[in-house]
């Protein structure tokens, strides 16, 4: 378990480097990430490289035993490159070049930009590929599926479509262009769907544009990685992401790098609404699931953040430690904090790091120092991993398509995934968030919410899992679209009808209007957003609607299929339904449950095959008391305990 920091030597006077590196080493920092925005410092003029300052900085870190993640700084091309080649600047939906000055304003499809990006990457590898302190490499940062509308991207998109479909006639058929007289009679007619709000445009075209921009981002990372490995084969390479407006398909993004790295910024304010899931545990599990093994946090929250010139509240005591250990609990083996020093200039001068503008270490810094000590203390879990009985299937295309057409007021794809994630976690179960092609055979339960857009691999995987004896849960808005994001003209849920043993005769997009359902035991729960009205064929009703004209019609069903069981949840409820529903499924599948956990307490277990280490994280603003089923040994306090008293955001780890 390594703790690190982000550092920008090019932004600070050299006189600070030595004292910063010395304090890092004394504090317990193991890893430093540098270089992600330093292109203009490394190549101040066309073809003129200056590595002397970086040689000196790396030498300082090396003397103090610090390992380095060196970044290829392609997110921020230097001003001279924009002036020399303005064609590399991204073009906005309005047809104008974006104003440069921020990061990410280059077009990753531009051959000219790619040439310069590969050159700086190769120069860095040739210089530092054998440097003993440089152990890992990062390409770009938070690369997005940018909707660039330059001529290069337009031409590339058209070529991508013709490569995929083979002819203009096939493109028209796939995209359903007969609507609104939209048929293409020339490839030049095809334009990126960005001129108007996306919800007003062809959903099939929009999904293809998302696929293209995602693949463009992934292809750029792949090309830079290949250029680097051409110079030195054995490199540990990654890129980073965070969930933003234009986040690409993460499975594609990380396909050609060695490990996943995530920029993790949990919320600083705990919402008062108990139905609002603020925990980042879901996203951490998603990151672990991309490649199915441990990942890095390349940026971890260290202080107040700033958006639109306004600063957030500061971290509460315990947050810095708690959120870092939460990441470790969910599969991170390295957590790097953004950043060592708060910037004194630039747009992010109020996006705080560990040391504020006062240049005097304060409360957050000392909590960070305590975290470094704790990471050393819990090194016994370095060889452990998470083993889960539950998987939640996440498909980026479903998320995109349901953002494009949200179906009903308040409807959210991710919310449905997170309801189930929360419910299983509330009982202390580990949860994997997995891609559609994941091996499902080891899981006792698989959740596949809102399988909206047809994915052949996912459908076959789901059927295979249930046929072989698995327990599956599906939800509303499944089987709605074909792979082109056009509606399927069959009774819903189309390809899944046989599996769930029911037809949807009608649906009611109720939005925020609350209604009730009653389960088989007479328990009543609030439902809203969406109501599928189900006609069972081979299934049995698990719950029925209690009001509206479809009162007594099934809302949730259970169907035995071959050797397995498939549940279908035709509505969206509040968290108490998922807690009850998941509890029943865990009991039926023989999964152990922790009962009576205070709301906000998260439990995660890591194992080495001999010993289980259980993380208890109080992700709330209230002190929590947890009675353990038996006395256990705390590796945080080096003491036996039969009860845990956790302050807000405090973590304890006990050996089972």
């Amino acid at each position: 378990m390594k703790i690190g920091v982000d550092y920008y030597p090019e932004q600070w006077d050299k006189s600070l480097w030595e004292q910063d590196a010395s304090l890092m080493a004394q504090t317990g920092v193991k890893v430093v990430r540098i270089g992600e925005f330093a292109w203009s410092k490394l190549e101040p003029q066309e073809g003129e490289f200056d590595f002397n300052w970086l040689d000196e900085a790396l030498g300082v870190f090396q003397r103090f035993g610090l390992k380095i993640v060196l970044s290829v700084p392609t997110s921020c091309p230097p001003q001279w490159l924009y002036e020399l080649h303005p064609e590399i600047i991204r073009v906005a939906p309005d047809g104008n070049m974006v104003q440069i000055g921020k990061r990410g304003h280059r077009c990753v499809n531009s051959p000219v930009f790619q040439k310069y990006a590969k050159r700086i990457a190769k120069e860095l590898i040739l210089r530092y590929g054998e440097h003993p302190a440089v152990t890992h490499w990062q390409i770009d940062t938070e690369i997005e599926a940018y909707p660039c509308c330059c001529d290069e991207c337009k031409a590339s998109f058209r070529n991508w479509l013709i490569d995929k479909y083979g002819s203009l006639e096939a493109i028209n058929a796939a995209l359903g262009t007969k609507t609104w007289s939209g048929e293409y009679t020339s490839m030049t007619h095809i334009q990126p769907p960005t001129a108007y709000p996306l919800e007003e445009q062809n959903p099939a075209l929009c999904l293809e544009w998302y696929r293209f921009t995602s693949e463009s981002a992934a292809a750029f990372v792949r090309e830079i990685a290949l250029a680097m490995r051409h110079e030195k084969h054995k490199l540990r390479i990654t890129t980073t992401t965070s969930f933003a407006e234009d986040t690409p398909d993460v499975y594609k993004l990380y396909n050609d790098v060695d490990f996943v790295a995530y920029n993790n910024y949990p919320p600083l304010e705990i919402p008062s609404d108990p139905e609002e899931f603020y925990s980042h545990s879901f996203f951490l599990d998603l990151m672990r699931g991309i490649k199915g093994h441990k990942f890095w946090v390349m940026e971890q929250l260290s202080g107040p953040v700033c958006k639109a010139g306004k600063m957030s509240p500061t971290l509460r005591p315990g947050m810095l430690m708690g959120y870092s250990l939460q990441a470790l609990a969910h599969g991170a083996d390295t957590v790097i904090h953004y950043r060592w020093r708060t910037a004194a200039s630039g747009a992010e001068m109020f996006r705080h790091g560990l040391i504020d503008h006062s240049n005097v270490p304060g409360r957050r810094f000392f909590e960070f120092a305590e975290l470094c000590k704790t990471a050393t203390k819990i090194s016994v879990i370095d060889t452990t991993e998470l083993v889960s009985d539950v998987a939640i299937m996440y498909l980026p295309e479903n998320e995109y398509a349901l953002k494009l057409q949200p179906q009903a007021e308040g409807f959210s794809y991710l919310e449905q995934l997170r309801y189930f994630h929360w419910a299983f976690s509330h009982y202390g179960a580990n949860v994997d968030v997995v891609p559609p092609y994941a091996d499902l055979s080891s899981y006792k339960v698989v959740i596949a919410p809102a399988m909206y857009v047809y994915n052949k691999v996912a459908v076959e995987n789901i059927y295979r899992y249930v046929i072989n004896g698995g327990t599956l849960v599906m939800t509303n808005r499944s089987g709605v679209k074909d792979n082109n994001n056009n509606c399927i003209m069959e009774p819903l849920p189309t390809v899944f009808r046989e599996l769930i043993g029911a037809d949807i005769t009608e649906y009611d997009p109720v939005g925020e209007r609350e209604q009730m359902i009653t389960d088989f035991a007479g328990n009543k729960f609030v439902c809203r957003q969406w109501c599928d009205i189900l006609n069972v064929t081979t299934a049995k009703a698990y719950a029925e609607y209690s009001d509206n004209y479809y009162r007594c019609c099934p809302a949730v069903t259970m169907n035995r299929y071959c050797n397995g069981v498939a549940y279908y949840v035709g509505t969206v409820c509040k968290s108490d339904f998922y807690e009850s529903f998941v509890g029943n499924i865990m009991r039926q599948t023989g999964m152990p449950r922790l009962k009576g956990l205070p709301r906000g307490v998260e439990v995660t277990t890591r194992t080495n095959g001999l010993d289980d280490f259980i993380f208890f994280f109080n992700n709330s603003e209230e002190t929590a008391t947890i009675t353990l089923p038996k006395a256990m040994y705390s590796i945080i306090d080096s003491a036996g305990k039969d009860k845990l008293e956790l302050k807000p955001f405090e973590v304890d780890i006990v050996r089972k």
Side-chain angles (χ1 to χ4, degrees):
M1 299 291 174
K2 298 184 290 293
I3 303 298
V5 293
D6 295 306
Y7 191 70
Y8 301 89
E10 73 276 13
Q11 297 180 15
W12 305 108
D13 190 273
K14 290 183 180 181
S15 62
L16 290 173
W17 296 357
E18 186 100 9
Q19 76 176 65
D20 283 341
S22 175
L23 185 54
M24 288 177 195
Q26 292 174 43
T27 304
V29 170
K30 303 297 182 185
V31 184
V32 182
R33 180 184 69 157
I34 64 174
E36 62 176 326
F37 301 132
W39 194 342
S40 64
K41 186 74 171 175
L42 293 166
E43 190 180 3
Q45 296 294 333
E46 156 78 72
E48 297 178 9
F49 297 96
D50 178 9
F51 295 113
N52 293 329
W53 67 273
L54 187 52
D55 292 344
E56 188 176 344
L58 290 178
V60 170
F61 293 124
Q62 186 180 6
R63 285 199 302 276
F64 287 96
L66 299 166
K67 298 302 182 183
I68 300 298
V69 179
L70 189 55
S71 300
V72 178
T74 50
S75 178
C76 291
Q79 297 295 311
W80 60 259
L81 181 52
Y82 282 132
E83 183 178 65
L84 189 63
H85 292 287
E87 68 270 24
I88 74 168
I89 301 173
R90 279 199 296 118
V91 173
D94 63 5
N96 295 316
M97 289 182 175
V98 300
Q99 183 178 344
I100 60 174
K102 291 175 67 178
R103 66 189 191 189
H105 283 170
R106 71 285 185 265
C107 171
V108 297
N109 285 321
S110 165
V112 174
F113 174 69
Q114 289 188 16
K115 180 186 77 171
Y116 281 92
K118 290 177 183 177
R119 187 173 75 177
I120 188 66
K122 288 181 178 181
E123 291 289 339
L124 285 167
I125 291 295
L126 290 171
R127 187 86 174 191
Y128 303 111
E130 301 292 339
H131 196 290
V134 179
T135 58
H136 296 78
W137 294 79
Q138 175 185 312
I139 296 172
D140 211 87
T141 188
E142 291 187 349
I143 189 167
E144 296 186 32
Y146 295 111
C148 178
C149 299
C150 71
D151 290 341
E152 185 65 45
C153 283
K154 289 178 181 178
S156 296
F157 181 45
R158 292 164 186 152
N159 290 336
W160 182 86
L161 285 171
I162 203 71
D163 286 345
K164 181 174 182 177
Y165 292 105
S167 68
L168 191 58
E169 291 74 20
I171 293 172
N172 276 310
L175 302 188
T177 55
K178 291 180 180 179
T179 302
W180 288 355
S181 191
E183 291 167 292
Y184 305 125
T185 55
S186 167
M187 289 299 296
T188 58
H189 295 165
I190 301 174
Q191 299 292 330
T194 52
Y196 300 100
L198 291 182
E199 63 269 18
E200 298 178 10
Q201 302 198 52
N202 183 346
L205 178 66
C206 290
L207 181 58
E208 292 291 35
W209 177 244
Y210 170 74
R211 288 167 172 160
F212 166 75
T213 54
S214 285
E215 290 184 17
S216 296
F220 174 74
V221 171
R222 179 174 62 252
E223 288 299 311
I224 302 302
L226 287 172
M228 295 165 69
R229 290 193 172 107
H230 184 267
E231 306 302 332
K232 186 176 185 297
H233 296 297
K234 294 183 179 180
L235 297 173
R236 293 283 290 163
I237 300 174
T238 190
T239 186
T240 66
T241 193
S242 63
F243 283 85
E245 182 179 357
D246 295 311
T247 299
D249 183 323
V250 290
Y251 302 128
K252 293 176 181 176
L253 181 66
Y254 288 104
N255 189 58
D256 297 292
V257 296
D258 298 295
F259 63 102
V260 171
Y262 174 54
N263 293 349
N264 186 38
Y265 289 92
L268 287 167
E269 293 184 271
I270 305 301
S272 57
D273 183 357
E275 297 299 312
E276 188 172 340
F277 299 122
Y278 57 87
S279 174
H280 266 216
S281 59
F282 171 83
F283 298 105
L284 296 168
D285 286 339
L286 195 163
M287 290 297 114
R288 188 182 73 252
I290 292 171
K291 286 187 173 289
H293 54 70
K294 296 173 184 177
F295 63 98
W296 285 35
V297 172
M298 204 63 84
E299 293 184 14
Q300 175 71 24
L301 182 72
S302 296
V305 295
C306 187
K307 187 175 182 180
K310 299 175 183 177
M311 284 182 275
S312 71
T314 192
L315 275 71
R316 300 295 181 258
M319 270 188 174
L320 188 146
M321 170 87 79
Y323 283 142
S324 299
L325 293 180
Q326 179 196 39
L328 296 175
H330 287 270
D333 62 2
T334 301
V335 176
I336 297 177
H337 281 254
Y338 187 91
R339 49 191 278 176
W340 178 255
R341 287 185 172 277
T342 305
S345 59
E348 293 189 332
M349 65 175 65
F350 293 121
R351 187 182 176 191
H352 293 69
L354 295 166
I355 299 175
D356 291 335
H357 298 130
S358 66
N359 203 28
V360 178
R363 174 182 62 85
R364 298 194 316 281
F365 177 85
F366 294 119
E367 188 171 321
F368 174 79
E370 196 61 34
L371 168 67
C372 292
K373 293 177 184 176
T374 300
T376 301
K377 186 186 299 185
I378 65 174
S379 60
V380 66
I381 67 172
D382 285 357
T383 57
T384 64
E385 60 181 355
L386 284 92
V387 177
S388 304
D389 287 329
V390 181
I392 298 177
M393 190 176 284
Y394 166 71
L395 280 74
E397 290 187 358
N398 284 339
E399 182 184 5
Y400 176 83
L402 285 166
K403 281 182 178 177
L404 189 67
Q405 296 176 301
Q407 307 297 288
E409 189 69 31
F411 191 93
S412 166
Y413 172 72
L414 277 184
E415 182 185 74
Q416 294 203 50
L417 276 69
R418 295 183 76 180
Y419 265 124
F420 284 102
H421 186 274
W422 170 84
F424 281 106
S425 300
H426 188 63
Y427 286 116
N430 287 353
V431 181
D432 291 345
V433 181
V434 301
Y437 46 81
D439 180 0
L440 305 178
S441 59
S442 65
Y443 297 107
K444 291 185 177 179
V445 181
V446 170
I447 314 296
M451 298 295 290
Y452 184 66
V453 176
Y454 176 76
N455 181 298
K456 184 175 186 289
V457 171
V459 172
E460 292 176 350
N461 205 5
I462 287 169
Y463 266 90
R464 186 184 309 114
Y465 171 72
V466 179
I467 288 169
N468 290 331
T471 297
L472 173 75
V473 180
M474 300 193 71
T475 76
N476 51 84
R477 307 315 284 148
S478 292
V480 176
K481 299 287 193 80
D482 63 18
N483 188 249
N484 294 315
N485 207 17
N486 295 311
C487 286
I488 300 172
M489 293 184 63
E490 296 177 23
L492 292 171
T494 64
V495 70
F496 301 111
R497 287 166 64 202
E498 181 182 350
L499 184 63
I500 72 162
D503 298 327
I504 297 166
T505 60
E506 191 179 355
Y507 50 71
D508 188 6
V510 294
E512 300 296 352
R513 297 202 325 268
E514 293 187 349
Q515 301 185 167
M516 302 296 294
I517 65 171
T518 305
D519 73 6
F520 67 95
N523 301 307
K524 293 186 179 298
F525 304 98
V526 171
C527 70
R528 66 247 198 271
Q529 296 178 11
W530 192 269
C531 294
D532 278 334
I533 304 164
L534 292 151
N535 172 55
V536 296
T537 51
T538 58
K540 295 181 180 179
Y542 178 97
E544 297 177 341
Y545 294 108
S546 302
D547 40 28
N548 217 316
Y549 66 90
Y550 37 88
R551 181 176 179 271
C552 296
C553 289
V556 181
T557 59
M558 184 275 288
N559 186 50
R560 298 195 181 280
Y561 185 81
C562 294
N563 297 311
V565 177
Y567 290 87
Y568 185 87
V569 181
T571 186
V572 180
C573 296
K574 292 190 175 181
S575 59
D576 58 345
F577 165 78
Y578 298 93
E579 184 177 359
S580 171
F581 181 63
V582 161
N584 286 334
I585 288 176
M586 292 179 74
R587 184 167 55 251
Q588 292 163 16
T589 53
M591 293 173 58
R593 293 181 296 160
L594 279 176
K595 298 180 182 179
L597 284 176
R599 199 172 185 92
V601 172
E602 301 176 12
V603 180
T604 313
T605 303
R606 296 183 61 145
T607 184
N608 59 17
L610 296 174
D611 293 312
D612 292 342
F613 297 89
I614 308 173
F615 286 70
F616 288 86
F617 173 38
N618 180 17
N619 193 2
S620 77
E621 295 178 313
E622 305 293 332
T623 298
T625 302
I626 302 104
T627 301
L628 300 174
K630 64 178 183 178
M632 297 183 186
Y633 181 79
S634 167
I635 65 172
I636 295 286
D637 296 332
S638 302
K641 296 181 178 180
D642 56 13
K643 183 171 68 173
L644 303 180
E645 292 279 352
L646 298 179
K647 298 175 184 176
F649 310 106
E650 188 176 9
V651 173
D652 204 345
I653 308 170
V654 298
R655 185 170 59 212
K656 187 174 179 181

